[in-house]
Amino acid sequence: KGKLDYFDMVLPNLWHDKTNSDGYTKGYIQKYWGFNQSPQGSGGLWMNTAMPMLGNIEVRKGIMAATDYDGMIENIMRGDYSRKPHGLGFGHGEYDDPNNTPPKFDPAEAVKHFEKAGFDKIGADGIRVNDKGERLSFAITYGYNSHTPRIAYLKEQAKLAGLEFTLNLVDGSSAFKYILEKKHQLAFLNMGSGEIPAYWEYFHSANANKPQTNAHTNYSSPELDKLIEAYDNEFEQQKRYDLSRQIQKYVGDANVIVPGYMVPYTRVAHWRWLITPKDAMTKSTESMFHPMDIGNFWIDKSVKKETEKAMKSGKVFPEVTVIDDRYKLSSN
């Protein structure tokens, strides 16, 4: 209708399925896909270790191996998203350990851990049980109906290891409140991040088992507390980098966050009168046309008049899709 100059098209179904109308094919509306390397926050599938069974590290290791994020990205997200190397995020330079890699989906490996945890029998429904009759079943709390196909995929794949995921959709902001109150078993959630990673809010024992904190896993330990305190109080940069990597290793070894996905790009549809220069993206550009971001663009009023006149007369322009992949991650 022309009431908006641009519209974000991050979601794969929008970009791939909703951009074949006349406005696009006649060149009035153009497409822009630019990759970035902006910091990504902690997130993925958070395990609440205060809940029954999730305090057992073998259960958590099994969930790690039975959660098929890579398959979800490929099959549900059409390969557009990328996998986070670590549950504590990505894109923080030397604060991040370059050797961080997410776990591979491996049902056989998951079964080994579940059996060590005592879930060595399989019920009539294909879900593992232990001697107490407890089923290996956990609810995933999430806040948006658009995420249902993603979690449904994880649910189907987890069955291959005898693990059941149930879907607990709690609408919007209520989901985050539910998680803050520590009512969840598993939380499908990504957090934001600054240039420097923050650890105290997520893993210091001062925040564990308390409502209204970001300690979504309720996991803590005295050793981890010491690392976090040293990190927060350190001024020598190299030591700070080293402490950050130690914290990441400690949390990784605890197996409390299945590393999720990230969206290292901006993707929009825009009228052709929004103009970008060549190589407009920076590593930090999160939204090319948002006025509050580092967007390199301008509005050409003469092109707007030309376009509006062309639409009335039936004149068409070349179809345009700009892809700036200079900062595309190798994993994309």
Side-chain angles (χ1 to χ4, degrees):
K1 293 180 180 179
K3 293 180 179 179
L4 300 175
D5 288 309
Y6 77 96
F7 192 83
D8 287 321
M9 306 289 277
V10 170
L11 294 176
N13 67 304
L14 292 179
W15 179 263
H16 296 287
D17 299 335
K18 303 294 185 180
T19 57
N20 52 7
S21 60
D22 284 352
Y24 298 93
T25 58
K26 293 182 179 180
Y28 307 139
I29 302 172
Q30 300 178 351
K31 298 161 68 178
Y32 188 95
W33 189 348
F35 290 85
N36 60 37
Q37 294 181 16
S38 60
Q40 304 285 330
S42 303
L45 199 63
W46 305 70
M47 307 185 208
N48 185 351
T49 59
M51 286 290 178
M53 298 185 285
L54 291 172
N56 186 323
I57 191 170
E58 292 298 336
V59 170
R60 300 199 302 268
K61 286 181 177 180
I63 292 173
M64 280 277 184
T67 305
D68 190 8
Y69 261 101
D70 290 321
M72 178 183 67
I73 291 169
E74 184 62 31
N75 293 286
I76 306 300
M77 316 315 297
R78 308 198 190 190
D80 291 352
Y81 291 9
S82 299
R83 187 81 188 273
K84 285 183 181 177
H86 194 281
L88 289 175
F90 173 78
H92 303 104
E94 292 189 62
Y95 287 98
D96 294 337
D97 189 333
N99 297 314
N100 286 338
T101 54
K104 298 291 185 182
F105 176 61
D106 189 340
E109 181 67 20
V111 166
K112 293 178 183 178
H113 292 296
F114 291 147
E115 288 180 340
K116 285 182 181 179
F119 291 89
D120 53 1
K121 301 179 182 64
I122 300 177
D125 58 358
I127 303 305
R128 293 185 166 271
V129 295
N130 61 16
D131 290 339
K132 299 177 184 178
E134 295 174 319
R135 297 174 71 250
L136 196 62
S137 177
F138 303 99
I140 299 178
T141 297
Y142 63 108
Y144 302 97
N145 192 49
S146 60
H147 291 171
T148 296
R150 308 177 190 186
I151 298 170
Y153 181 88
L154 298 181
K155 173 184 173 72
E156 290 304 308
Q157 292 296 91
K159 289 179 181 177
L160 298 175
L163 169 65
E164 180 181 64
F165 287 147
T166 60
L167 281 62
N168 182 33
L169 173 60
V170 181
D171 187 52
S173 60
S174 296
F176 192 54
K177 182 175 183 290
Y178 186 94
I179 294 166
L180 286 177
E181 291 174 352
K182 310 298 185 285
K183 295 178 180 178
H184 64 287
Q185 291 179 301
L186 306 176
F188 187 84
L189 178 69
N190 282 316
M191 303 294 286
S193 177
E195 295 290 330
I196 299 171
Y199 301 123
W200 183 85
E201 61 183 302
Y202 298 117
F203 285 104
H204 195 280
S205 60
N207 299 311
N209 296 296
K210 292 182 180 179
Q212 308 306 318
T213 70
N214 285 336
H216 306 314
T217 67
N218 275 318
Y219 178 86
S220 65
S221 77
E223 293 81 10
L224 185 55
D225 284 351
K226 290 177 183 177
L227 287 173
I228 292 171
E229 289 165 7
Y231 170 80
D232 285 346
N233 293 319
E234 183 57 62
F235 287 95
E236 187 176 327
Q237 194 61 65
Q238 188 56 54
K239 288 183 179 179
R240 195 162 158 81
Y241 291 149
D242 292 342
L243 285 164
S244 176
R245 295 182 182 192
Q246 289 178 54
I247 292 168
Q248 290 181 3
K249 184 179 187 308
Y250 200 106
V251 172
D253 290 344
N255 289 267
V256 289
I257 308 173
V258 183
Y261 55 65
M262 53 188 180
V263 187
Y265 60 74
T266 176
R267 194 162 65 180
V268 297
H270 64 94
W271 289 101
R272 61 188 296 272
W273 56 77
L274 267 65
I275 313 296
T276 59
K278 186 178 183 296
D279 296 339
M281 288 293 295
T282 74
K283 285 186 177 182
S284 302
T285 304
E286 295 184 28
S287 179
M288 176 51 64
F289 297 109
H290 194 289
M292 297 300 290
D293 201 359
I294 310 172
N296 297 326
F297 75 96
W298 64 92
I299 296 173
D300 191 319
K301 292 183 178 180
S302 65
V303 175
K304 183 173 184 178
K305 290 180 180 178
E306 176 191 45
T307 306
E308 291 171 339
K309 183 178 179 181
M311 287 191 289
K312 290 179 181 178
S313 67
K315 179 184 176 181
V316 300
F317 302 99
E319 199 169 341
V320 174
T321 298
V322 173
I323 298 178
D324 187 341
D325 59 2
R326 290 170 300 128
Y327 302 115
K328 185 177 182 180
L329 301 168
S330 59
S331 59
N332 274 109

